[in-house]
Amino acid sequence: MNKQTTRIGKNRLVAAATGAAIALGATSASAETLRVVMQSGLRITDPIMTTAFITRDHGYMIYDTLLGVDSDFNVRPQMADWEVSEDEKTYTFTLRDGLAWHDGAPVTAEDCVASIKRWADIDSTAKPLMTMVDNIEVVDDKSFKVQLNTPTTLLLAGLSKMSSRAPFMMPKRIAETPASESIDEYVGSGPFVFVEEEFQPGIKVAYEKFEEYVPRDEPPSWTAGGKDVKVDRVEWLTMPDQMTAINALQSGEVDFIQQVPFDLLPLVENASDIDVNILDPLGAWTYFRMNWLHSPFDNKLVRQAAIAAVDQEDVMQALVGNPEYYRTCAAIMGCGNVNGDEYGKEWVVEGQIEKAKSLLEEAGYDDTPVVIMAPTDLAMVVPQPIVIGDALRKAGFNVQMKMMDWQTLAAQQGNQDAPSEGGWNIFSTYSILATSGDPFGNTPLSTDGRESWAGWPDVPEISELRLDYAKAASVEEQKEIAKRIQKIAIDEGVVGPLGQFRIPAAWSSEWSGFLESPITLFWNISKED
Amino acid sequence: MLPYVLKRVLSAVPVMIIVAVVIFALLRLTPGDPAAILAGNDATGEQLAQIRESLGLDEPILVQLATWCKNIISGDLGVSLLSGVPVTKMIADRVGPTLALAVGTISVTILVAIPMGIVAAGRLGGYLDRIVMALSVLGFSVPIFVTGYVLIYFFSLKLGWLPVQGYRPPSEGLFPFLQRLVLPVLALSGVYIALVARITRSSIIEVLGEDYIRTARAKGATGRRILLRHALRNAAVPIVTIIGIGIASLITGVVVTESVFNLPGLGRLVVEAVLARDYPVIQGLILLFSFTYILINLVVDILYTVFDPRIRY
């Protein structure tokens, strides 16, 4: 506790040292400020420690990444370019000119190596990658070398990873903080500076343009290309009531809403001074997970029966309603993603109660209760358990709904006890497709039994295929492996896909330049005169 | 009086200790894990254990309780497990909007509800009485968020007179401060006006049946004098009680109003902290609320003696 209290004091000093000069100019009355309502409040400020989306978005504001991904899924240089040896085992990364931290110090290769190591300690993509890395060594101030023991595409994929736990670069002194402890300074080299003295957790975050930032020359495309900031300041405001956010947009008190709830869309869709559009072209997918450790889902046929019983259209109707914003999809790695394959579509998408009944009969299901954890407070995950429960009852399952708040569910999902002793059989959640398109970023495809993510499926064949995927020489080879993973995962009942959806954003027509990207980006935006 | 006040203030200490220990224990018994919230969805058991260790959550509960108590004695409520911001700073940042809302609402309530109650009691059974009673039923029945949205629709979106949401501290100017307070105060005071008006009316009606009122009438006192000098003062005890309860509930339970008007107050902080299992923040807030309740009850008890000199402590 005392340590953390000290930390705050230090934060203030750093903020004063790093932000004062910029703050003086940018907070003047003439400053162009973009006022934004984000999907939730920023409370955790370390983008390596947590996977919270709001913290990821915060990360992209103040930090930069070595590599980026463009809209064609190509890995592109961002802070650094790279060269690879003929045997494809040695990658040399060279930092571009003009990179500086918000405190004025130059970005060095040493900083980047420390940042990669901290990220590698905790990230799910980095862990398998590090088994293929022999050494990361600093060559000089501007370059470093990664020595692999086997060629892998995972290195570039990992360093350009979008979404949660992107490998954000930090000064060495900050990156040396253990990954299990929150960082205590917020100095990045990204296009915005975090105004720490104005930070109110869960209420307001302010960022000011980093005047020394040198954007790349290429046009922006997802996390690649030039990050050309055209505003002086961005303020993220948290509004717990979505109706208030819509009213504030209509009255001109805010300029942008990151996610407009589907039921409130009619209020802004026809307004002449408000633009509504999908900025994340991929969106999210929702799915349900079964607990492999306990009856009845320790039986493959029962898992298949559950997947067959649920009708994706029913789930999507309950969750989204408007077909313009959802689609059914059997691909675990996402329809629209390079690796998206729809094996099993004929019985995964459309609910097949009769098939489910016969599978249950074949499995000898003995009426063991199925405990479904159902959250009551997070709109994006409330309808799924209700629809799943109804479908399972129709198929002949003995269903018990266990209502709770989302945070209780998040804590409970790690409980490996039997459902009769406080454990669970089914829960549902959602993930963004930008991170689900490969077998490493896709959390449910971790199949190492009790060591894997909640549900604890034990399918060694998938674990081996994931490693093969990392070592694959070409995209075509990767696609082939992904296809095999999809088949095994569906047949084994690793996860039950429930459909995909995209959440629209809305903004005042006075503003333009919002970029299409899986991450909400705040560069390139300007106010029209 | 002074020994009584001192005794009451001192008796607050064991009450707060009991509250603190009970809340500490309850939070640890409630399902939920701040480490899981920090680490996110795909955290492994090993990562969670490391985070728990770094937060001190792996210590035995009694050790955690002892550390917390020791820190409180030195005036340190700890830091938020999520943001690392000191709890005292978080409370200090959030107390302004809540106090402004509470003071504004109670002021409007007293200014409107007591005259309404007096008028209704004075015109018992007449049109004014019925109108006041009808309005108070309306005030009770319409949920605050409905009143809030209706006010926003007319005064902000249609007329453009007032902002939809937000809070500005008085230090940034009195006008912007008041401008953002008008609608939440109006929305919230409806319920309290209804409550206090009804209590005022019924208390005065009860007092009007007393012998001394008959005596005052026999002495030739006017109806207004009887109502204001004799009846109101003697009816004050239940009115003060209800206003005291109102203030206490305003400080601790105005989540809906704070959400609808996006006021960054204590009500929202409580809900956010509970949902995130941010133990130090919840504990700090509960202590503050307990102290507030005790203080308000003390003030109410003292006010009894002002309005009714027969009451002695």
Side-chain angles (χ1 to χ4, degrees):
Chain A
M1 295 286 178
N2 288 336
K3 190 177 170 188
Q4 283 179 326
T5 311
T6 314
R7 182 174 102 196
I8 297 304
K10 200 158 78 177
N11 289 347
R12 284 193 178 146
L13 288 175
V14 172
T18 57
I22 298 156
L24 280 173
T27 52
S28 65
S30 61
E32 197 82 270
T33 302
L34 178 70
R35 297 155 304 172
V36 169
V37 180
M38 297 299 278
Q39 39 98 3
S40 68
L42 179 74
R43 294 180 183 85
I44 309 167
T45 43
D46 184 344
I48 301 298
M49 189 184 192
T50 186
T51 57
F53 290 159
I54 189 72
T55 310
R56 165 205 69 187
D57 293 351
H58 162 76
Y60 277 101
M61 294 295 278
I62 67 171
Y63 302 105
D64 212 346
T65 51
L66 292 172
L67 311 176
V69 176
D70 69 15
S71 57
D72 294 321
F73 295 95
N74 295 313
V75 177
R76 298 283 181 205
Q78 184 50 261
M79 291 170 77
D81 210 334
W82 72 92
E83 282 177 6
V84 59
S85 64
E86 264 185 37
D87 65 357
E88 295 185 4
K89 286 186 180 176
T90 308
Y91 283 74
T92 307
F93 293 88
T94 306
L95 297 171
R96 65 184 166 96
D97 292 333
L99 296 177
W101 298 115
H102 296 160
D103 59 7
V107 176
T108 66
E110 213 173 7
D111 296 320
C112 298
V113 170
S115 300
I116 293 170
K117 285 181 175 168
R118 181 169 193 258
W119 166 74
D121 272 350
I122 196 164
D123 183 68
S124 57
T125 308
K127 285 201 164 179
L129 166 66
M130 293 317 279
T131 64
M132 295 175 233
V133 172
D134 274 347
N135 187 27
I136 306 177
E137 106 186 272
V138 174
V139 177
D140 55 39
D141 272 359
K142 293 188 72 175
S143 56
F144 64 95
K145 207 176 270 186
V146 179
Q147 188 64 51
L148 302 170
N149 52 40
T150 180
T152 176
T153 53
L154 209 53
L155 177 63
L156 296 185
L159 293 180
S160 63
K161 181 189 173 187
M162 285 188 295
S163 193
S164 302
R165 288 206 184 111
F168 294 115
M169 295 300 114
M170 301 174 183
K172 187 183 173 202
R173 65 176 186 281
I174 300 172
E176 281 177 337
T177 311
S180 58
E181 283 177 28
S182 193
I183 55 172
D184 58 8
E185 274 187 65
Y186 306 103
V187 177
S189 64
F192 291 95
V193 177
F194 178 50
V195 188
E196 199 178 342
E197 61 271 27
E198 288 187 40
F199 176 46
Q200 288 182 279
I203 297 292
K204 182 187 168 187
V205 198
Y207 304 95
E208 282 163 359
K209 180 180 178 177
F210 180 35
E211 299 290 353
E212 312 307 317
Y213 186 80
V214 182
R216 296 189 69 85
D217 293 332
E218 303 93 345
S221 177
W222 288 14
T223 54
K227 300 179 178 180
D228 188 7
V229 175
K230 297 176 180 172
V231 294
D232 299 303
R233 186 177 160 90
V234 176
E235 288 179 3
W236 288 4
L237 309 167
T238 309
M239 294 196 190
D241 186 75
Q242 294 297 321
M243 187 68 221
T244 304
I246 298 287
N247 287 334
L249 181 66
Q250 286 175 329
S251 71
E253 290 171 42
V254 298
D255 306 304
F256 176 84
I257 299 178
Q258 190 189 24
Q259 293 184 355
V260 180
F262 298 111
D263 56 333
L264 297 180
L265 268 175
L267 292 174
V268 288
E269 269 176 335
N270 298 320
S272 58
D273 52 351
I274 294 172
D275 292 336
V276 179
N277 216 333
I278 301 284
L279 289 179
D280 176 0
L282 298 174
W285 73 299
T286 179
Y287 50 91
F288 70 100
R289 189 75 155 173
M290 290 164 276
N291 186 344
W292 283 44
L293 301 181
H294 302 287
S295 178
F297 293 124
D298 54 353
N299 182 324
K300 175 176 159 179
L301 294 174
V302 181
R303 293 194 295 269
Q304 286 179 350
I307 293 174
V310 182
D311 189 311
Q312 287 196 357
E313 188 68 32
D314 290 348
V315 176
M316 288 291 106
Q317 270 296 320
L319 182 67
V320 181
N322 185 344
E324 202 181 321
Y325 297 107
Y326 74 77
R327 65 171 292 181
T328 57
C329 173
I332 295 172
M333 280 172 267
C335 294
N337 270 332
V338 180
N339 291 326
D341 176 76
E342 286 210 81
Y343 168 82
K345 183 179 181 179
E346 59 286 354
W347 62 279
V348 170
V349 169
E350 204 176 318
Q352 297 194 10
I353 300 297
E354 291 312 314
K355 179 182 171 76
K357 281 180 177 170
S358 69
L359 281 165
L360 279 187
E361 200 178 326
E362 191 184 340
Y365 173 61
D366 59 358
D367 212 37
T368 305
V370 170
V371 176
I372 302 180
M373 293 198 288
T376 53
D377 58 333
L378 189 63
M380 284 299 164
V381 284
V382 167
Q384 293 92 317
I386 298 166
V387 179
I388 293 167
D390 181 53
L392 263 53
R393 280 192 192 100
K394 283 179 187 159
F397 281 94
N398 174 8
V399 174
Q400 290 181 1
M401 302 295 282
K402 208 170 167 182
M403 314 308 274
M404 59 189 73
D405 71 307
W406 175 251
Q407 296 302 349
T408 302
L409 191 153
Q412 274 291 97
Q413 74 181 30
N415 184 351
Q416 296 189 345
D417 292 343
S420 56
E421 290 161 15
W424 55 273
N425 290 113
I426 284 182
F427 77 93
S428 176
T429 184
Y430 74 104
S431 299
I432 66 162
L433 281 161
T435 52
S436 304
D438 69 79
F440 289 99
N442 193 306
T443 308
L445 287 177
S446 151
T447 54
D448 301 321
R450 285 181 182 267
E451 297 305 308
S452 55
W453 184 58
W456 309 285
D458 191 2
V459 190
E461 211 179 337
I462 290 182
S463 303
E464 284 162 23
L465 282 170
R466 290 173 88 202
L467 287 177
D468 291 346
Y469 181 94
K471 292 171 188 169
S474 68
V475 173
E476 283 313 309
E477 197 183 330
Q478 285 181 331
K479 276 173 78 173
E480 197 49 45
I481 295 168
K483 215 170 168 178
R484 285 162 63 195
I485 292 177
Q486 163 81 11
K487 182 178 183 310
I488 300 167
I490 290 295
D491 284 344
E492 290 289 332
V494 169
V495 60
L498 296 171
Q500 295 183 185
F501 57 94
R502 298 184 300 166
I503 306 172
W507 60 88
S508 159
S509 306
E510 289 179 343
W511 293 84
S512 62
F514 291 91
L515 293 166
E516 201 178 71
S517 164
I519 316 294
T520 306
L521 306 170
F522 290 98
W523 42 90
N524 199 54
I525 300 165
S526 60
K527 197 167 191 174
E528 287 170 359
D529 295 324
Chain B
M1 176 64 80
L2 191 63
Y4 171 75
V5 172
L6 279 175
K7 202 172 122 193
R8 284 289 299 270
V9 170
L10 285 176
S11 69
V13 176
V15 172
M16 288 181 66
I17 290 172
I18 292 166
V19 168
V21 172
V22 168
I23 289 301
F24 191 95
L26 271 179
L27 283 175
R28 267 51 180 192
L29 293 172
T30 310
D33 182 0
I37 294 158
L38 267 171
N41 219 6
D42 59 351
T44 62
E46 185 192 352
Q47 287 166 355
L48 290 177
Q50 284 173 351
I51 292 172
R52 277 187 210 111
E53 191 186 339
S54 73
L55 297 174
L57 296 173
D58 60 332
E59 302 275 3
I61 287 180
L62 285 178
V63 175
Q64 290 183 46
L65 177 63
T67 311
W68 183 61
C69 290
K70 202 178 93 187
N71 289 340
I72 283 180
I73 291 166
S74 59
D76 177 9
L77 290 176
V79 297
S80 160
L81 295 178
L82 270 67
S83 64
V85 175
V87 175
T88 42
K89 183 185 181 304
M90 290 180 85
I91 291 176
D93 284 348
R94 302 287 196 100
V95 80
T98 299
L99 270 184
L101 186 60
V103 170
T105 303
I106 286 301
S107 305
V108 169
T109 300
I110 292 170
L111 288 174
V112 177
I114 293 180
M116 274 173 75
I118 295 169
V119 167
R123 299 271 192 271
L124 187 61
Y127 283 117
L128 272 175
D129 182 28
R130 287 178 191 180
I131 290 169
V132 168
M133 285 303 95
L135 286 175
S136 74
V137 168
L138 198 69
F140 268 131
S141 317
V142 182
I144 291 168
F145 70 89
V146 173
T147 317
Y149 288 145
V150 170
L151 290 172
I152 288 170
Y153 180 75
F154 283 108
F155 291 102
S156 303
L157 299 180
K158 284 286 159 195
L159 298 170
W161 291 352
L162 295 162
V164 167
Q165 52 81 43
Y167 173 78
R168 289 277 176 82
S171 57
E172 289 183 19
L174 194 61
F175 184 66
F177 166 71
L178 291 174
Q179 214 186 8
R180 282 163 181 78
L181 211 58
V182 173
L183 293 185
V185 163
L186 285 180
L188 188 56
S189 52
V191 178
Y192 290 94
I193 289 172
L195 180 69
V196 175
R198 286 180 79 99
I199 295 289
T200 306
R201 175 184 175 272
S202 58
S203 302
I204 291 178
I205 290 170
E206 200 179 316
V207 170
L208 286 176
E210 296 288 336
D211 290 345
Y212 56 84
I213 297 291
R214 199 181 310 122
T215 308
R217 281 207 180 97
K219 281 166 68 184
T222 61
R224 180 181 293 181
R225 188 178 166 81
I226 288 169
L227 271 176
L228 298 180
R229 283 295 300 271
H230 299 287
L232 181 59
R233 188 165 180 184
N234 283 292
V237 168
I239 299 170
V240 168
T241 308
I242 218 74
I243 290 173
I245 294 169
I247 294 171
S249 65
L250 273 169
I251 288 170
T252 57
V254 286
V255 184
V256 175
T257 313
E258 288 181 358
S259 297
V260 168
F261 293 97
N262 191 31
L263 298 174
L266 293 176
R268 266 173 67 188
L269 184 60
V270 178
V271 174
E272 290 159 11
V274 168
L275 289 177
R277 307 293 190 268
D278 200 342
Y279 299 149
V281 179
I282 305 170
Q283 287 157 189
L285 284 166
I286 298 287
L287 272 187
L288 174 76
F289 292 158
S290 314
F291 183 70
T292 307
Y293 264 94
I294 290 166
L295 200 69
I296 288 170
N297 275 320
L298 179 62
V299 172
V300 167
D301 285 352
I302 292 168
L303 281 177
Y304 287 165
T305 65
V306 175
F307 290 111
D308 189 348
R310 290 169 299 181
I311 298 174
R312 285 276 177 270
Y313 298 115

